[in-house]
Amino acid sequence: MKKIISIVLCLAMLMLLCACSGGNSLSAIQKKGKMTVATSPDFPPFESLEGGKIVGIEVDIMDLVAEKLGVETEFVQMDFESVLPGVQAGKFDVGMSGITVTEDRQKNADFTTPYFMASQAIVVLVDSPITCKADLEGKKISVQTGTTAEEYCMANGYEVLAYQANNDASSALTTGKVDAWVVDNEVAVALVAELGGQAKVLDEAMTQEPYAFAFAKGSGELVEAFNSALSELIADGSVEAIFENYGVPYVGP
Ligand code: ARG
């Protein structure tokens, strides 16, 4: 009798533990043979649309990680501001969007160890009088909604115009609605190149920010599996080779 009671108690505790831990599990992903990846593909060279297909550095990294975990990837497209909430709610298995790890975000989501060190850059029109961060005093700045650029610019008292799509934050600059556009450094370089000489990226960086992949809180085992795959891919030079393919210097975390 005692044995039965203790077995039942153990089972109950186990069920409770499973229910409380939340998060998405490695076994669930492996069982369905795929993982859903939430992404905002307006962020070259990390993720962008090419003929309807999502391509970029993070797509290539994710494909290699998926291969190691023995699953397929299914990319689900959305605005950046929906990526983290969707992942946190467990709607998607992983978030991939050049996501910066911040203390605030860590309260609501799990992250892999960072795989890249980025920064925020200032973009201005070629003939702009703004040459450094100090010149931004009292100026209007465009950013993408829900990003660390928005957070940083608001916290530092700039007049901020926020846009859901990164391209609209860029257009705000080229159409003269703002004096500067703040965006992640490598994305600034890629998108300014697309603008064909209209704009330039200033040398002075605003912040230092590590990129990582995001998960619902409590996805410990899945995060661990990602971390070991990532550390192998960093150690054997695969990650660096992917960056090289896109002409981006690899800056390790
Ligand atoms: N690194 C910044 C952040 O985490 C910007 C990311 C924007 N990503 C995107 N795919 N549009 O807030």
Side-chain angles (χ1 to χ4, degrees):
M1 195 55 186
K2 258 193 191 157
K3 236 187 187 164
I4 293 176
I5 291 176
S6 58
I7 288 173
V8 168
L9 270 176
C10 274
L11 276 176
M13 265 167 69
L14 217 88
M15 276 165 71
L16 208 75
L17 212 79
C18 289
C20 291
S21 70
N24 293 23
S25 77
L26 178 63
S27 51
I29 285 173
Q30 285 174 333
K31 208 164 141 198
K32 59 180 175 166
K34 66 166 192 197
M35 58 181 173
T36 49
V37 183
T39 189
S40 169
D42 56 357
F43 210 63
F46 294 94
E47 49 264 325
S48 58
L49 282 173
E50 228 177 79
K53 208 175 164 295
I54 301 175
V55 298
I57 291 173
E58 286 196 320
V59 177
D60 293 355
I61 296 176
M62 193 58 77
D63 282 340
L64 291 184
V65 170
E67 201 178 294
K68 283 195 186 280
L69 303 185
V71 298
E72 303 276 305
T73 47
E74 183 184 307
F75 296 104
V76 188
Q77 193 184 324
M78 66 201 70
D79 282 335
F80 180 71
E81 64 174 337
S82 303
V83 172
L84 279 168
V87 166
Q88 282 159 18
K91 278 198 229 160
F92 313 104
D93 295 313
V94 45
M96 176 196 90
S97 266
I99 304 173
T100 303
V101 185
T102 68
E103 260 177 45
D104 253 6
R105 288 174 176 175
Q106 276 174 317
K107 286 181 197 149
N108 302 311
D110 283 351
F111 288 91
T112 58
T113 42
Y115 71 89
F116 183 67
M117 196 49 119
S119 62
Q120 292 297 321
I122 303 162
V123 182
V124 293
L125 294 179
V126 269
D127 54 2
S128 169
I130 299 169
T131 61
C132 61
K133 190 156 125 180
D135 293 343
L136 286 179
E137 190 84 31
K139 296 284 192 284
K140 251 192 228 163
I141 300 177
S142 64
V143 295
Q144 185 175 28
T145 313
T147 60
T148 44
E150 179 182 46
E151 205 179 296
Y152 177 86
C153 290
M154 301 273 276
N156 284 277
Y158 297 112
E159 191 179 333
V160 173
L161 286 182
Y163 297 87
Q164 274 173 325
N166 212 8
N167 292 342
D168 292 336
S170 145
S171 303
L173 175 70
T174 50
T175 56
K177 289 200 189 84
V178 294
D179 306 294
W181 166 37
V182 172
V183 63
D184 300 48
N185 59 332
E186 289 303 343
V187 180
V189 171
L191 288 176
V192 162
E194 284 178 21
L195 292 176
Q198 280 187 79
K200 63 184 177 194
V201 185
L202 300 186
D203 283 335
E204 190 180 7
M206 309 271 273
T207 59
Q208 287 295 311
E209 343 203 317
Y211 284 176
F213 300 113
F215 303 83
K217 260 266 177 271
S219 307
E221 186 206 11
L222 181 57
V223 180
E224 280 323 306
F226 252 75
N227 277 342
S228 23
L230 270 178
S231 69
E232 281 169 35
L233 294 168
I234 291 174
D236 72 8
S238 305
V239 167
E240 192 169 347
I242 290 172
F243 276 83
E244 220 165 80
N245 267 341
Y246 289 84
V248 177
Y250 179 62
V251 187

